[in-house]
Amino acid sequence: MVQFTTLNEISNETIMQLLKRAERGIDMLSMSGSKRFTVANLFYEPSTRTKSSFEMAQKELNIHSLHFDVTSSSVQKGESLYDTVKTLEAIGCDALVIRHPLKAFYKELQDVNIPIINGGDGAGDHPTQSLLDLLTIYQEFKTFKDIHVVISGDIRHSRVARTNAAILRRLGANVSFSGPDEWMDYDITYSNVVPVDQAVKAADVMMLLRIQTERHGQNGFIDQENYHHLYGLTIEREQQMKDHSIIMHPAPVNRNVEIASELVECSRSRIFKQMTNGVKVRKAVLEHVLKTKGEVKYENIV
Ligand code: ASP
């Protein structure tokens, strides 16, 4: 049973294969005997891009999407995640996409007999976001080796920062960080923290992060205007970037906080390209986990 819960357990070779597969594109996917796969999408936290791009990927692969509504399900009667997953396995789902606020929620699902794709676990991991970020960087530079990626903003509370920092380092990129001291996390950054005005000049990729207010608790107040001025990608800072450098952000974007509104769609911005790539990599991940369910048949879309 292939699980896709954290990139820490996936080799560099498999990651590169997934990126190549995503880039090449995948046709419709079905099990031998033309049985269509069914995948349920369980989102216990809000989502726009991850949820809709998984649904789009499923549609393009001719997979049935089983919509699971947390607010009207037995989750409201206190059903555990494990029992919900066992139920969806019993009624015949072939794989599950799960987003959950609990860090490493998948550890309590080790004994289930259905592939789980992690759609984001609290401040833990976000493996498919990382894949789409990797694809975006690879399309640009054709390598990860020695590419200087600056991850900027709310590092401590961001699953995107955690997953990307680890995988980019493993693939040979040079990763540094900028942002307010109280949002740095030595387990992610080590000693590679630089002031934002220095970072923008050095970066090949400026990867901005959303301020994760939902994870700040009571001490989370930030003055957004001040943040933009002190740490954000202002128009003046963008002008300091190298000619070939690009801007990324996993979105949702707080315009004029992490990034000046005018820069969201500027020529360096790959923010919407990242979303397009989200569908491609999620198709590759669905294929990767469903392949283990039996012989897979490909059909050309006519
Ligand atoms: N969409 C990304 C996530 O789910 C980034 C964000 O929410 O800030 O982690």
Side-chain angles (χ1 to χ4, degrees), residues 10-285:
I10 299 179
S11 68
N12 290 4
E13 203 190 354
T14 303
I15 286 169
M16 292 310 294
Q17 276 166 5
L18 283 166
L19 296 183
K20 295 215 165 100
R21 198 75 187 111
E23 189 64 326
R24 220 174 72 206
I26 306 167
D27 287 338
M28 288 158 71
L29 195 69
S30 59
M31 282 173 104
S32 57
S34 297
K35 175 186 174 289
R36 283 175 72 180
F37 288 110
T38 300
V39 175
N41 302 306
L42 286 70
F43 281 74
Y44 291 77
E45 262 189 358
S47 171
T48 298
R49 277 146 291 271
T50 304
K51 186 158 176 281
S52 40
S53 62
F54 263 114
E55 285 173 1
M56 188 59 88
Q58 289 155 13
K59 212 174 173 54
E60 290 186 13
L61 291 174
N62 198 29
I63 293 170
H64 285 295
S65 300
L66 194 138
H67 174 66
F68 179 85
D69 184 3
V70 171
T71 56
S72 61
S73 70
S74 288
V75 170
Q76 300 306 322
K77 301 179 191 164
E79 186 165 61
S80 69
L81 178 63
Y82 179 85
D83 286 339
T84 303
V85 166
K86 285 302 289 179
T87 302
L88 293 168
E89 178 191 320
I91 66 169
C93 288
D94 295 296
L96 305 178
V97 178
I98 305 180
R99 168 170 290 188
H100 200 281
L102 185 68
K103 197 167 170 182
F105 68 82
Y106 46 85
K107 291 209 170 132
E108 67 182 75
L109 302 175
Q110 267 156 359
D111 297 332
V112 300
N113 195 26
I114 182 168
I116 307 286
I117 301 172
N118 180 2
D121 60 291
D125 275 283
H126 199 347
T128 61
Q129 174 73 45
S130 275
L131 279 189
L132 75 88
D133 290 340
L134 292 177
L135 181 60
T136 309
I137 295 171
Y138 197 78
Q139 285 167 339
E140 208 68 38
F141 300 102
K142 309 289 173 251
T143 182
F144 296 106
K145 184 116 191 42
D146 298 329
I147 299 300
H148 190 165
V149 181
V150 174
I151 307 182
S152 178
D154 187 359
I155 312 295
R156 180 186 297 279
H157 305 100
S158 168
R159 53 192 170 210
V160 178
R162 190 178 310 278
T163 314
N164 274 346
I167 188 61
L168 281 163
R169 283 187 181 120
R170 242 169 73 190
L171 293 170
N174 172 6
V175 187
S176 50
F177 302 82
S178 70
D181 284 348
E182 59 270 41
W183 292 346
M184 293 299 118
D185 179 342
Y186 189 80
D187 288 344
I188 305 175
T189 62
Y190 309 151
S191 316
N192 301 323
V193 180
V194 284
V196 68
D197 288 300
Q198 194 179 317
V200 287
K201 293 183 191 154
D204 297 307
V205 178
M206 270 310 281
M207 183 183 285
L208 310 173
L209 301 171
R210 182 177 64 87
I211 300 172
Q212 313 269 310
T213 34
E214 72 277 26
R215 294 196 236 286
H216 287 177
Q218 302 223 311
N219 309 322
F221 178 77
I222 57 141
D223 172 350
Q224 304 209 339
E225 233 171 83
N226 220 11
Y227 179 91
H228 186 59
H229 174 67
L230 291 176
Y231 307 103
L233 189 61
T234 58
I235 294 180
E236 295 71 35
R237 289 193 179 112
E238 185 268 342
Q239 287 164 356
Q240 301 293 310
M241 291 176 69
K242 296 187 272 192
D243 286 348
H244 67 264
S245 302
I246 60 167
I247 300 167
M248 294 173 62
H249 190 307
V253 171
N254 291 308
R255 287 176 181 253
N256 298 321
V257 182
E258 298 110 23
I259 178 169
S261 187
E262 296 89 322
L263 298 178
V264 172
E265 292 176 65
C266 74
S267 57
R268 297 182 187 282
S269 169
R270 298 294 179 270
I271 296 174
F272 290 96
K273 178 104 179 277
Q274 287 173 265
M275 298 175 202
T276 308
N277 285 337
V279 179
K280 296 183 183 189
V281 300
R282 287 172 177 130
K283 283 170 81 175
V285 169

